[in-house]
């Protein structure tokens, strides 16, 4: 039996329970049907129905908000060392079930196992990393003034909402939920409607690892129904959101009446700039990896290649050769690089850019076609002879689609790179140190890598500028979001108090 056949067999065993029972909401440690009924979850691999999913609405959000509010004081006041132990156990349980998580994730989202097997482990790492910060998270400063001993301390903000998208949903959910729990907040998670499987696994794993009931609650459903209600709920103090930029502005509006604190991780149209003095072989590897891994459904993908005109022809020729060799196939085949796109709607969006590219006058140098009609498969695609005003250079396509744009001078490269509403990441390839310093200083992006692909390091700040987001994750930045800073001043003597009305 091939590895693919073995993986499919294992998957069928794993899916049996979802097919039988569907996915329920999980509120206060109990399964609940959705107040708005059910919706169907399908696989992008062959368009088959995976299971029924509870459709939550404002009633479910209200029940979950009450559960999260009831559970808050005990979770907040649990000794940090105890909370740490539970979170470490969650990390261990994720590791133990990494294969199950990866197989379900691939079937639900179409992402290739090659990348998803690591995503489950990165989820565990998120829990481990933030568990290790728990003990210090509440520490503040002593700031002595002439008459007062001033101290600061941090306290968890309260129950929070976490709203996540469908691309690498398990990893992204843990990235938000782990620091929130470590900070001492309780959580309501609203996973993306297109990929609910691994969110269900996460809440089960967390409860089995000892997370008290009501500390993590999962409400499935649609953004405009369950998601909106979560943003509007008065007991929810903050929303950590990952998704599209236009949804980010809805989150802000919906939370205005209840003065929500929002952390927004949004879209990108990130440039990779390749100068003619770079190590071109390594640059080529990184350019390919950063757009064709994870189906290109990755906020940090470098979807605009800015290549210096003197090397353009040779660089693009090698790129075309490599892109044409990238393997599209069943996501559970370990050799597959690109699986199907997540939904029919997203497939239609991505493939619509094949015509848009032609209408705009760009060249389709590789791909630009779909593969079979069993699922939502597309060939990895490269557009050349583009300019930065074309829609293929301005809009987030969010698929395995790269737009190459030539430039001649450093100044021109910077102007093109910054001429976008987004500002999540930038990648610069040059061996000129002074240029790298100068260029990165002026590049408008929250995260920049020089002579490297995106290598995530959890203590560093993750987030974007402009339409790519507000706020940062990682290290202590996560605790800044999930906690309130509190100042307390103690008089150290009998300082003069201004006496009024005496
Ligand atoms: P989306 O914005 O359509 O949906 C994200 C989540 O928001 C889903 O759970 C959805 O149900 C919910 N939602 C939708 N409307 C809502 C509303 N009115 N109120 C509350 N919740 C609502 O995004 P998507 O298509 O699922 O994901 C892809 C997008 O996510 C891309 O733009 C990508 O760049 C972005 N993304 C950003 C990062 C980052 O770190 N910056 C990471 C991953 C993905």
């Amino acid at each position: 039996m091939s590895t693919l056949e073995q993986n499919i067999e294992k998957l069928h065993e794993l899916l049996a329970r979802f097919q039988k029972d569907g996915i329920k909401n999980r509120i206060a440690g109990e399964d609940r049907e959705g107040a708005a009924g059910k919706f169907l979850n399908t696989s992008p691999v062959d368009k088959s129905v995976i299971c029924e999913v509870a459709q939550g609405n404002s009633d479910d959000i209200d029940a979950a908000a009450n559960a999260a509010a009831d559970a808050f004081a005990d979770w907040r006041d649990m000794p940090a060392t105890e909370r740490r132990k539970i979170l470490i156990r969650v990390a261990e349980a994720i590791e133990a079930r990494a294969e199950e998580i990866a197989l379900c994730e691939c079937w639900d989202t179409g992402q290739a196992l090659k990348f998803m097997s690591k995503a489950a482990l990165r989820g565990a790492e998120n829990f481990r990393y933030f568990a290790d910060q728990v003990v210090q998270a509440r520490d503040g400063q002593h700031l002595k003034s002439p008459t007062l001993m001033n101290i600061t301390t941090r306290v968890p903000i309260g129950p929070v909402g976490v709203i996540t998208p469908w691309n690498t949903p398990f990893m992204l959910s843990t990235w938000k939920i782990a620091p929130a729990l470590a900070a001492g907040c309780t959580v309501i998670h609203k996973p993306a409607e297109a990929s609910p499987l691994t969110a269900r696994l996460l809440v089960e794993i967390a409860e089995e690892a000892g997370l008290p009931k009501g500390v993590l609650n999962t409400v499935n459903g649609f953004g405009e129904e369950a998601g909106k209600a979560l943003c509007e709920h008065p007991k929810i103090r903050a929303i950590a959101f990952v998704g599209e930029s236009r949804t980010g502005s809805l989150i802000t509006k919906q939370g205005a009446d209840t003065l929500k604190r929002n952390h927004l991780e949004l879209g990108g149209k990130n440039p990779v700039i390749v100068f003619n003095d770079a190590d071109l072989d390594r640059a080529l590897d990184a350019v390919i990896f950063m757009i064709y891994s994870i189906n290109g459904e990755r906020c940090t993908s470098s979807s605009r290649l800015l290549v210096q005109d003197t090397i353009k022809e040779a660089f693009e020729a090698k790129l075309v050769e490599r892109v044409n060799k990238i393997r599209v196939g069943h996501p559970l085949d370990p050799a597959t690089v690109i699986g199907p796109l997540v939904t029919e709607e997203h497939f239609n969006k991505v493939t619509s850019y094949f015509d848009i590219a032609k209408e705009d006058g760009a060249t389709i140098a590789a791909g630009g076609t779909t593969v079979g009609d069993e699922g939502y498969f597309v060939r990895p695609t490269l557009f050349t002879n583009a300019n930065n005003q074309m829609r293929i250079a301005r809009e987030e396509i969010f698929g395995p689609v790269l737009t190459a744009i030539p430039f001649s001078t450093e100044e021109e490269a910077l102007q093109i790179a910054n001429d976008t509403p987004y500002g999540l990441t930038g990648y610069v390839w040059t061996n000129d140190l002074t240029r790298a310093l100068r260029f990165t200083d002026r590049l408008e992006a929250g995260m920049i890598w020089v002579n490297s692909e995106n290598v995530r390091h959890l203590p560093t700040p993750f987030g974007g500028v402009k339409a790519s987001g507000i706020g940062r994750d990682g290290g202590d930045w996560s605790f800044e979001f999930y906690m309130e800073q509190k100042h307390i001043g103690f008089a150290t003597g009998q300082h003069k108090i201004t006496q009024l009305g005496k």
Side-chain angles (χ1 to χ4, degrees):
M1 207 192 261
S2 69
T3 314
L4 171 60
E5 285 163 343
Q6 285 170 24
N7 285 340
I8 291 175
E9 202 171 287
K10 280 186 214 163
L11 177 80
H12 282 144
E13 283 167 26
L14 294 170
L15 291 182
R17 55 165 285 207
F18 291 118
Q19 282 154 352
K20 181 168 160 282
D21 302 328
I23 294 181
K24 307 275 197 298
N25 292 334
R26 189 82 181 163
I27 298 173
E30 283 173 16
D31 281 344
R32 306 251 189 113
E33 303 288 348
K38 292 171 182 161
F39 64 95
L40 291 180
N41 179 30
T42 56
S43 172
V45 184
D46 61 1
K47 306 179 191 174
S48 63
V49 172
I50 303 175
C51 62
E52 291 180 332
V53 185
Q55 186 178 333
N57 65 14
S58 55
D59 291 344
D60 304 86
I61 291 293
D62 197 43
N66 287 331
D70 290 347
F72 176 61
D74 284 350
W75 182 242
R76 176 194 62 196
D77 297 339
M78 180 183 281
T81 47
E82 284 302 305
R83 212 160 51 228
R84 178 178 177 279
K85 271 188 212 155
I86 294 174
L87 297 178
I88 294 282
R89 281 205 299 271
V90 175
E92 288 166 352
I94 290 173
E95 280 157 359
R97 287 172 71 174
E99 189 185 41
E100 176 185 357
I101 293 165
L103 292 173
C104 289
E105 191 91 312
C106 292
W107 192 246
D108 213 6
T109 64
Q111 297 282 3
L113 189 60
K114 190 182 196 67
F115 305 110
M116 285 311 101
S117 52
K118 295 183 195 99
L121 297 176
R122 276 187 64 186
E125 189 50 35
N126 288 336
F127 270 92
R128 231 176 247 292
Y129 174 78
F130 286 106
D132 283 336
Q133 319 291 317
V134 162
V135 178
Q136 317 75 304
R138 293 192 65 166
D139 287 352
Q141 290 179 301
H142 284 205
L143 303 161
K144 197 171 180 324
S145 61
T147 57
L148 293 166
M149 170 59 79
N150 300 288
I151 64 157
T152 66
T153 180
R154 280 196 307 203
V155 292
I157 190 168
V160 299
V162 170
I163 303 178
T164 48
W166 45 257
N167 66 314
T168 63
F170 187 80
M171 203 283 289
L172 283 174
S173 307
T174 57
W175 181 335
K176 298 282 163 189
I177 292 170
L181 296 178
C185 296
T186 50
V187 174
I188 298 174
H189 180 203
K190 208 302 278 171
E193 48 272 41
S195 57
L197 288 188
T198 54
R200 172 67 196 195
L201 295 179
L202 179 61
V203 69
E204 281 176 11
I205 287 171
E207 287 180 10
E208 281 164 23
L211 197 73
K213 289 179 178 183
V215 171
L216 172 61
N217 307 276
T218 309
V219 177
N220 292 282
F222 297 99
E224 52 280 12
E225 197 171 25
K228 181 169 181 283
L230 186 56
C231 298
E232 289 173 346
H233 203 284
K235 287 190 179 165
I236 300 301
R237 302 299 314 280
I239 297 285
F241 171 76
V242 185
E244 287 186 23
S245 300
R246 63 169 181 269
T247 318
S249 50
L250 285 176
I251 301 282
T252 308
K253 285 184 195 132
Q254 292 164 176
D257 284 347
T258 50
L259 295 172
K260 285 281 180 309
R261 178 185 291 186
N262 294 315
H263 182 174
L264 306 176
E265 284 184 13
L266 310 174
K269 191 72 184 177
N270 310 300
V272 49
I273 303 106
V274 182
F275 287 99
N276 59 12
D277 62 9
D279 180 333
L280 295 178
D281 289 336
R282 285 179 65 76
L284 185 66
D285 288 342
V287 164
I288 293 169
F289 178 75
M290 282 309 303
I291 186 68
Y292 299 115
S293 61
I294 315 192
N295 285 356
E297 295 167 331
R298 176 182 195 156
C299 56
T300 53
S301 72
S302 49
S303 49
R304 285 186 299 152
L305 165 63
L306 277 48
V307 57
Q308 196 150 20
D309 48 10
T310 49
I311 54 163
K312 167 183 162 350
E313 214 168 303
F315 195 83
E316 286 181 356
K318 285 188 189 162
L319 189 55
V320 170
E321 200 186 323
R322 292 269 297 272
V323 173
N324 282 331
K325 285 194 210 149
I326 291 176
R327 192 157 159 171
V328 180
H330 195 294
L332 298 185
D333 182 339
T336 292
V337 174
I338 297 183
L341 301 177
V342 67
T343 57
E344 182 177 12
E345 185 190 359
H346 190 56
F347 171 83
N348 289 340
K349 175 186 158 180
V350 171
T351 52
S352 74
Y353 284 94
F354 301 162
D355 286 337
I356 292 169
K358 282 186 234 155
E359 283 157 21
D360 279 358
T363 305
I364 300 183
T369 53
T370 59
V371 182
D373 54 11
E374 203 183 325
Y376 305 123
F377 294 88
V378 298
R379 287 285 322 155
T381 297
L382 172 67
F383 300 138
T384 55
N385 296 319
N387 68 52
N388 204 47
Q389 300 317 310
M390 293 178 178
R391 285 182 62 192
I392 52 171
R394 303 205 76 76
E395 297 170 13
E396 186 185 42
I397 300 173
F398 217 58
V401 180
L402 177 62
T403 300
I405 303 165
F407 69 88
S408 57
T409 63
E410 181 185 322
E411 200 52 39
E412 190 190 0
L414 186 72
Q415 186 276 325
I416 297 172
N418 285 343
D419 178 16
T420 170
Y422 296 106
L424 190 59
T425 61
Y427 306 87
V428 185
W429 286 86
T430 177
N431 274 328
D432 179 339
L433 175 63
T434 318
R435 166 151 62 198
L437 287 167
R438 194 169 51 228
F439 200 88
T440 51
D441 191 43
R442 295 168 68 198
L443 188 58
E444 293 167 1
M447 297 168 282
I448 302 171
W449 281 268
V450 178
N451 296 336
S452 175
E453 81 284 32
N454 171 343
V455 181
R456 180 84 181 107
H457 181 51
L458 288 175
T460 60
F462 185 104
V465 300
K466 294 156 71 178
S468 290
I470 298 174
R472 293 293 180 272
D473 264 325
D476 202 54
W477 286 278
S478 297
F479 291 124
E480 283 290 310
F481 179 72
Y482 293 110
M483 300 181 92
E484 292 283 18
Q485 192 78 235
K486 195 195 275 192
H487 161 250
I488 310 158
F490 296 92
T492 49
Q494 303 276 312
H495 67 271
K496 184 172 181 300
I497 300 176
T498 305
Q499 296 174 325
L500 303 177
K502 201 171 180 190

